[in-house]
């Protein structure tokens, strides 16, 4: 049975086609989901792609969190369905309280776009099992509101429970607290990160490497072996 992975498009989403292509390259069936969909069309996992949904009005992800598609997504994510939020998708996950913390404007107040080195901190989530803890990867980063923040108690809790999934290496690009680039929920089915693994799945695009492909192969193996 083919694994079906949905990718949600909101008004202003930019990277949905890249995410769909990454799903296809990894070997799953990509399924386009529209923000007004009231069901998830029997997908096995969902990717919230990057971009500037609703123009980032109010706050990045604040309006998208109330789109019709988010009602079944939140319900099923809480029940264990794997969800990956990339960049704007990470912002939406925090707005929906599926992940703790919030995303603020970059500390230098500029949009940043560059190849970014990351260290894999947690290789046991549904989306990271094809990596090794401590592994260093490089994927593109592009954001304006990428500064992860949370109160000290939440940060300490994330650290103690191993829920920091990725950290920035070779310089913090946006002022994220404790160099956090991505986090996971306690169950490990929900992951959010600012850099873009979907832009690093083929040698001819992005970084020229395939360091991001592991996100998509990880979830396929997780679902096949479930």
């Amino acid at each position: 049975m083919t694994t079906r992975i949905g990718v949600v498009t909101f008004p202003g989403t930019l990277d949905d086609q890249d995410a769909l292509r990454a799903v296809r390259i990894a070997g799953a069936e990509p399924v386009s989901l529209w923000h007004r969909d009231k069901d998830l069309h029997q997908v096995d996992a969902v990717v919230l792609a990057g971009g500037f949904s609703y123009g980032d009005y109010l706050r990045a992800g604040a309006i998208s969190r109330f789109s019709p598609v988010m009602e079944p997504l939140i319900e099923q994510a809480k029940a264990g369905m794997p969800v990956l939020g990339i960049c704007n998708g990470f912002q939406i996950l925090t707005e929906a309280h599926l992940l703790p913390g919030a995303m603020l404007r970059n500390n230098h107040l500029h949009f940043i776009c560059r190849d970014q080195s990351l260290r894999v901190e947690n290789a046991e989530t549904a989306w990271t099992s094809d990596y090794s803890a401590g592994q260093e990867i490089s994927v593109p980063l592009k954001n304006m509101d990428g500064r992860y923040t949370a109160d000290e108690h939440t940060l300490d809790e994330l650290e103690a429970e191993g829920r920091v999934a990725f950290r920035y290496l070779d310089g913090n690009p946006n002022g994220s607290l404790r160099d956090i680039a991505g986090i996971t929920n306690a169950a490990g089915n929900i992951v959010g990160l600012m850099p873009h693994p979907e832009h690093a799945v083929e040698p001819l695009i992005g970084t020229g490497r395939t360091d991001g492909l592991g996100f998509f192969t990880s979830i396929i193996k997780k679902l096949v072996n479930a």
Side-chain angles (χ1 to χ4, degrees), residues 9 24 30 37 40 66 69 101 108 112 119 135 149 165 190 214:
T9 300
R24 184 181 298 110
D37 289 343
L40 301 180
F66 293 102
V69 74
H108 44 72
I112 188 168
R119 182 173 63 242
Q135 183 177 348
T149 187
I190 304 173

Side-chain angles (χ1 to χ4, degrees), residues 187-202:
N189 63 301
I190 304 173
V191 171
L193 78 160
M194 287 309 296
H196 288 261
E198 78 282 13
H199 295 330
V201 297
E202 296 180 279

